[in-house]
Amino acid sequence: FDIITLFPEFFDFYFKQSILARSQKEKKLKINVHQLRDFALDKHKTVDDRPFGGGRGMVLKIEVLERALNKIKNKKLDSKVVLFTPRGKIFNQKMATDWSKLDQLTLICGRYEGVDERINKLIDEKVSIGNFVMMGGDLAGLIVVESTARLISGVVGNSEALIGERITAEKGFVEYPQYTRPEVFETKNKQKLKTPKVLLSGNHKKIDEWRKKHSKVIE
């Protein structure tokens, strides 16, 4: 993963925790976070400018982003360049599955009022994490890295659940309700919340039927 951002420190803590930290140490994956300002040539490290035609805010400059991509993208690898923008296609499980098979995934975290539209000639895909607007694409970057990384072989193992996710990715990701001990949980107001009896039955056929009945497909 190669992430282009104006706030690399935003990612420092997160990528040094838990499974992502271990996977990097074990060389199951590699995460590089790049400061966009490092690719600006002027003494002020300028990465944005006022939009032509007027309007609010600032726009990230195409020349700085091109310089970054030329330095980062490895043309010898099976790679993809993604820009986070509210106008992009909504990120889903199928994308995560497809991207987990790549050699390199470069993520551009937009900021301010957006990116010069000519970036379209330099990227492969525009992606959004939902129908809402944020201050930048950095959180989207974290979400995409985690969602994609967990599908890479060896990162979280090859459990049946994970294999099932890969198989069902084409049709949608299937999620069903989960329960664990205690079998009966009593709340402070004395309400007793019980585990469905079928999950305690040991009858795997009936359990599978119950899970299918209560599943939700997330596309």
Side-chain angles (χ1 to χ4, degrees):
F1 297 92
D2 284 278
I3 301 168
I4 301 174
T5 176
L6 286 171
F7 301 97
E9 62 277 6
F10 186 92
F11 298 87
D12 286 347
F13 177 81
Y14 197 84
F15 289 153
K16 291 179 181 177
Q17 309 303 313
S18 188
I19 292 173
L20 288 178
R22 187 187 69 216
S23 298
Q24 291 178 82
K25 187 176 181 180
E26 296 175 351
K27 298 184 178 180
K28 296 290 193 307
L29 55 84
K30 186 175 183 180
I31 304 175
N32 302 305
V33 182
H34 307 273
Q35 168 58 265
L36 180 59
R37 294 189 188 280
D38 290 343
F39 301 95
L41 300 181
D42 66 305
K43 66 178 181 179
H44 298 296
K45 298 294 183 182
T46 306
V47 298
D48 60 336
D49 208 335
R50 293 188 295 265
F52 285 129
R56 64 183 184 181
M58 305 290 278
V59 177
L60 290 180
K61 294 162 68 70
I62 183 66
E63 60 191 69
V64 183
L65 284 163
E66 183 194 38
R67 201 172 294 118
L69 291 172
N70 285 341
K71 182 72 174 180
I72 294 167
K73 187 176 179 180
N74 190 330
K75 295 180 180 179
K76 296 181 181 179
L77 300 178
D78 183 10
S79 65
K80 183 181 286 286
V81 178
V82 173
L83 170 68
F84 294 117
T85 168
R87 291 189 290 142
K89 182 179 179 181
I90 300 296
F91 179 67
N92 58 32
Q93 187 71 12
K94 184 180 184 305
M95 288 183 190
T97 303
D98 291 342
W99 295 353
S100 70
K101 301 169 187 175
L102 296 171
D103 298 317
Q104 181 186 35
L105 180 63
T106 301
L107 307 171
I108 303 174
C109 301
R111 193 44 76 153
Y112 309 130
E113 287 304 309
V115 179
D116 188 304
E117 189 70 7
R118 289 166 287 187
I119 192 68
N120 290 338
K121 299 295 184 180
L122 306 177
I123 65 174
D124 300 300
E125 202 158 353
K126 289 181 176 180
V127 171
S128 170
I129 58 168
N131 294 317
F132 50 86
V133 179
M134 299 179 69
M135 290 183 285
D138 303 287
L139 278 173
L142 288 174
I143 288 170
V144 167
V145 169
E146 177 159 314
S147 298
T148 305
R150 63 186 294 276
L151 295 169
I152 295 172
S153 181
V155 171
V156 293
N158 284 296
S159 67
E160 289 184 13
L162 193 58
I163 293 170
E165 286 180 26
R166 295 193 188 107
I167 293 172
T168 59
E170 293 294 329
K171 298 180 180 179
F173 171 57
V174 178
E175 183 65 56
Y176 50 78
Q178 300 276 14
Y179 295 82
T180 189
R181 292 176 178 78
E183 293 178 15
V184 179
F185 172 66
E186 187 172 324
T187 65
K188 286 185 177 180
N189 61 4
K190 303 302 181 182
Q191 182 182 10
K192 291 186 177 182
L193 307 178
K194 299 180 180 180
T195 301
K197 290 183 178 180
V198 65
L199 299 180
L200 308 174
S201 68
N203 188 322
H204 296 294
K205 182 179 179 180
K206 288 186 177 180
I207 291 172
D208 287 341
E209 289 173 355
W210 182 91
R211 284 176 172 171
K212 287 178 182 178
K213 181 179 178 181
H214 294 84
S215 289
K216 180 179 180 180
V217 177
I218 305 170
E219 298 181 350

